[in-house]
Structures are given as C-alpha cells and as structure tokens.
Amino acid sequence: MSRVASNTTADAPYLVALNLTQRCNLACAHCYLDATHLKDGGKDELCTTDLKRVLGEIAAVGPEAMVVLTGGEPTLRPDLTALVEHASALGLMVVLGTNGMSLTPVRIKVLQQAGLAGMGISVDSLDPERHDTFRGASGAWARTMAGIDACKDAQMPFQIHFCVTEETAGEIDNMIAFARESGAMVLNVFFMVCTGRGEKYSGISAEKYDTVLRRVAHAARAEQRLMVRAKCAPHFKRIAMEMDPDWPITAAHGYDSGGCIAAKRYARVTPSGEVTPCPYMDNSAGSLMEQSFQQIWENAPVLKALRTPDLEGRCGICEFQKLCGGCRARPLAAGGNMMGEDSLCSYQPKGGKVIAPLKREQEAMKWSREAEDKIARVPAFVRRMVRQRAEGFVREQGRAEVTSADLTLLAKRRFGEAGPPAFARNQRRRG
C-alpha cells in the first residue's frame, strides 16, 4: 500500500475529483454546485497552467490515484484534451464524469488518444421525460443515450451513475438491468446529500434509502458481469455485514464501496482550487493557489478531523461506527456539525461492542510479470479492486505471489466461463 512520503500518517489518496468548471449545459435539480455560474462559469476558475500544476502535485502525493475530471460539465472546457493528456502522462488514471450529451464518436476518439481511461455517465431515470425534467433540459435523455452508444462502439469503458431519489427509487431493478444490458462495467448508485442546488431537494426517506441499499447489496452479490456499488452510502457496510459477515464485499474485509473515504483516500478540488473532503462538503481544507496539494492533504485540520472522527448522536454510540461512521456531509449540510448523526440512517444502536475492520496486510505482495500484464488490461474503474481481491485470495492460500492463473480463476468465478466483458478483454495497455 502506497503511503505519503513524509512523517504524516495520512494514506495517499487514491481518488481525487477535480471540478474543472461550474459551466454546464444542464440545470439539474440535485446539483451540488450553486447555480449562479452554471451557464457562464466563474471568473476564478483555474487556468490550464494552474490545473496542470495541480495534477502534478496530486501525482506526487498519490502516484496511483484515479483523477475524475468533472464539473459542472467538463466537456465544456476547451482545454479538456490537453488536461487528459497531461494527467495521463503523469501516470494518473484519468476518467471523465459527464452527463454524456457531448460524447460524439470523434470526441471520444480524441480523448482516448489523449489517454482517457473511462467515462462515468449520469442517468437519473429510464423514463425520458422524468430524466429530462430532473436534468432541466428537453432532449437530454436521448443525447445521453447516444453518448452511451458512442462509448460502446468505441470500446471506451464506461460506468453508469444513478442518483436515487424518492421518485426514482422504484427504478433500481430496471436501472441494474439497463446498466448490464448497455455494456457498462459498473453501476454506481448515488444517494443525494442536500447541498448546493439540491439544498431544497427532497432526496429520499430513511425507509426507502434502506430498502434501496439492500437491493444494491443483493445485486452486488448476484451480478456476474456488472459491478454494482453504493456511493455516498456508508450504511451499505452495515447491511452487507448483516447479510453475510464472511462475504468479501463487506467493510470488515476492506471493501470501501458504500463507505465514506472522504479525507482518508479521497478529496475534491473546486473550480477555483479549494480542496474539500468531498463534493458534498464545502468546508475548505485550503486553497491550491496558496498551498500545495501535499501540504493541504497532510496538514489541513478538517481532513485530520475526518480521519479520526469524534462522532456524536447515534453515530457516536453505534457498534458499526468504525465500519460505517455515517455520512459526514449530511449533518454538516443540515446544521453545520460535521460530527453529528446521519439523518438518513434508521438503525438504532444496540449497545454492542464496536466492530473493528480487519487490519490491512502490511507485507508487499509479489506479482508475476504475466499477472501484471493481465491486470494492466483491466479498466481503471475496477483495477484497484481486482488487485485487492487477487491479493486477498492469494494470502488466504498462504502464498506470496499473484499469478496469471489466479486472475483467470477469479474472473471465471466472477463472470463465468464467458469471462469479463468485452471492454475489459479488448482494452489495450497504454505506454
């Protein structure tokens, strides 16, 4: 496991969301960015030179990090291709978070050649009218579907981002089927935090939230070719643990999908260069126009507080506090107390012993050259998770080296004899 090269105890980030712009071609009801500059952008948005510097600073702290270039709508930045090329040259995994409306075959090809590893495309409903209403623009659904088709035709790995609300929660089964049949590698199911434009949006009730999370957990276990993950939903860890404590997807075995990694392995950079713990938290940890990313990541008090949280309310007495810990953005948005209890959790602590995650293995795991070549062809979206699962599998067998045969066996267990999706098989190694 990589560490920050200093005296700090902070782990290196493995995910950084870089908001390139506030400009957008939509007006979504749930956007965490304020609407003031959504059309014209802000005068204080980082220029190309500053963004390249920031990318270099991120790579210095987290050389294996995935950087999500997002917005607003990142395709509205004229320097997007240059930024992708620069980040890729630094060795970062670069993906694009987009509404998909501008993903033409030509645009995708250019971004592929620049080194883009994949797309994350937002689909908020399978009902075109509902999606368009939610997104604030007529015809948005059709253009997003065209973007998905263009990615598939170009062999560009992509994932679907579905934001669950009270109105769309009933679509979860259909959305899972859609993501599977469309050829997506991953379905990320997001649960809204009421900030920015979504501050007045109703979101979802605690009861429906729990119901959807359980469906996501079952799908994560049952789906063979599609990875289904909960995002901004720390309670996923508790639900997975209750379903099966020995299931490798549970938090006790290190699976962080559904758990909050804000400030621990994740941060967001705003269009103006402020670093925050996550996109839903606007409490700045520092400005990249005044400090380096490393200085902020290692020393910012707000990030340090989140790494060793002093939780209050039900979260503070819950036996799942170390596995879950609740969403810190929700109490911050609701009342300004980052350590307050998560209002979307309906679980009542039972006074049991606090459940501790399993300790991470400290010893380095060797990989054969053939295994390294094979995992390099796995799309960036899921490569780290595949690596962790492979190393866990080999450790359980008492061995110290991952081989190509191990990866083949795990792929067959996950996807059957047909093997992983075509995108994974056909993705060529760059470099």
Side-chain angles (χ1 to χ4, degrees):
M1 179 181 65
S2 58
R3 306 283 293 188
V4 176
S6 76
N7 293 327
T8 183
T9 58
D11 289 322
Y14 60 55
L15 181 62
V16 178
L18 191 54
N19 290 144
L20 298 180
T21 181
Q22 287 183 302
R23 288 186 288 272
C24 191
N25 48 7
L26 291 174
C28 303
H30 65 303
C31 185
Y32 57 75
L33 290 177
D34 186 89
T36 305
H37 302 299
L38 285 181
K39 291 296 183 184
D40 301 320
K43 295 180 181 179
D44 57 351
E45 290 181 359
L46 297 182
C47 67
T48 306
T49 300
D50 285 331
L51 283 166
K52 287 183 176 180
R53 171 181 59 79
V54 168
L55 286 165
E57 292 175 0
I58 292 170
V61 178
E64 298 179 355
M66 178 188 295
V67 172
V68 183
L69 302 180
T70 184
E73 175 49 43
T75 59
L76 298 182
R77 283 279 306 213
D79 57 356
L80 176 61
T81 302
L83 294 173
V84 169
E85 190 170 30
H86 185 76
S88 179
L90 290 169
L92 296 167
M93 294 182 186
V94 194
V95 300
L96 196 66
T98 173
N99 57 41
M101 293 172 57
S102 302
L103 298 182
T104 64
V106 172
R107 190 72 183 274
I108 292 170
K109 183 177 181 181
V110 169
L111 291 171
Q112 280 179 316
Q113 292 173 339
L116 191 71
M119 303 278 189
I121 303 174
S122 298
V123 180
D124 290 307
S125 176
L126 297 178
D127 179 337
E129 184 176 353
R130 175 180 283 172
H131 176 93
D132 288 359
T133 299
F134 195 69
R135 289 272 155 183
S138 178
W141 189 87
R143 290 179 63 183
T144 296
M145 292 301 110
I148 290 173
D149 289 340
C151 284
K152 188 173 182 179
D153 291 343
Q155 301 278 312
M156 168 62 79
F158 68 93
Q159 52 186 322
I160 300 296
H161 294 171
F162 174 44
C163 184
V164 179
T165 68
E166 193 76 12
E167 291 76 21
T168 62
E171 294 192 46
I172 183 64
D173 287 336
N174 289 338
M175 190 62 72
I176 291 169
F178 167 77
R180 181 198 317 122
E181 293 162 8
S182 69
M185 296 291 299
V186 180
L187 171 64
N188 282 329
V189 182
F190 285 85
F191 294 83
M192 200 189 81
V193 178
C194 295
T195 59
R197 247 188 157 188
E199 192 169 2
K200 295 183 176 65
Y201 202 80
S202 62
I204 190 171
S205 67
E207 294 74 22
K208 194 160 288 187
Y209 175 82
D210 190 84
T211 298
V212 175
L213 266 184
R214 291 183 185 280
R215 180 65 191 97
V216 170
H218 282 286
R221 190 172 192 181
E223 289 291 325
Q224 289 190 321
R225 299 178 65 81
L226 174 71
M227 297 190 73
V228 182
R229 305 190 296 194
K231 294 291 184 178
C232 304
H235 319 142
F236 179 91
K237 295 186 172 188
R238 169 179 56 82
I239 289 171
M241 191 80 171
E242 289 172 346
M243 286 175 58
D244 183 357
D246 295 324
W247 182 22
I249 207 170
T250 64
H253 290 75
Y255 180 78
D256 46 50
S257 178
C260 183
I261 57 174
K264 300 177 178 110
R265 304 303 294 268
Y266 177 39
R268 183 269 295 254
V269 178
T270 71
S272 61
E274 299 293 321
V275 177
T276 73
C278 82
Y280 295 114
M281 303 178 80
D282 59 6
N283 48 342
S284 176
S287 171
L288 289 169
M289 298 303 290
E290 300 172 0
Q291 303 176 71
S292 71
F293 183 83
Q294 182 172 2
Q295 289 172 322
I296 295 171
W297 179 256
E298 295 177 355
N299 301 316
V302 64
L303 303 184
K304 286 185 174 182
L306 287 167
R307 289 166 191 154
T308 56
D310 185 12
L311 303 178
E312 301 175 12
R314 284 180 297 132
C315 291
I317 59 172
C318 183
E319 57 267 37
F320 291 97
Q321 61 182 269
K322 290 188 179 296
L323 296 184
C324 168
C327 175
R328 298 298 95 217
R330 290 193 185 100
L332 180 68
N337 181 7
M338 190 170 65
M339 296 301 169
E341 68 178 47
D342 188 338
S343 60
L344 267 189
C345 180
S346 59
Y347 180 75
Q348 295 298 324
K350 296 178 172 55
K353 183 178 178 181
V354 174
I355 303 169
L358 296 182
K359 292 183 179 180
R360 294 170 177 166
E361 299 286 349
Q362 298 299 317
E363 68 274 10
M365 175 67 68
K366 292 177 59 179
W367 283 64
S368 71
R369 177 178 294 181
E370 293 79 8
E372 288 284 8
D373 288 343
K374 181 171 288 189
I375 200 167
R377 296 193 293 272
V378 174
F381 291 145
V382 295
R383 190 179 304 152
R384 183 174 289 105
M385 188 177 298
V386 172
R387 181 180 287 275
Q388 289 174 344
R389 288 181 176 175
E391 291 185 353
F393 170 74
V394 171
R395 284 193 180 98
E396 287 176 0
Q397 294 191 328
R399 295 187 287 115
E401 183 178 56
V402 179
T403 68
S404 177
D406 293 321
L407 296 179
T408 299
L409 175 61
L410 291 172
K412 286 183 178 180
R413 286 185 178 182
R414 171 74 184 176
F415 302 108
E417 291 297 327
F423 289 174
R425 294 196 302 270
N426 296 337
Q427 181 81 348
R428 291 196 298 269
R429 185 179 185 181
R430 288 187 287 110

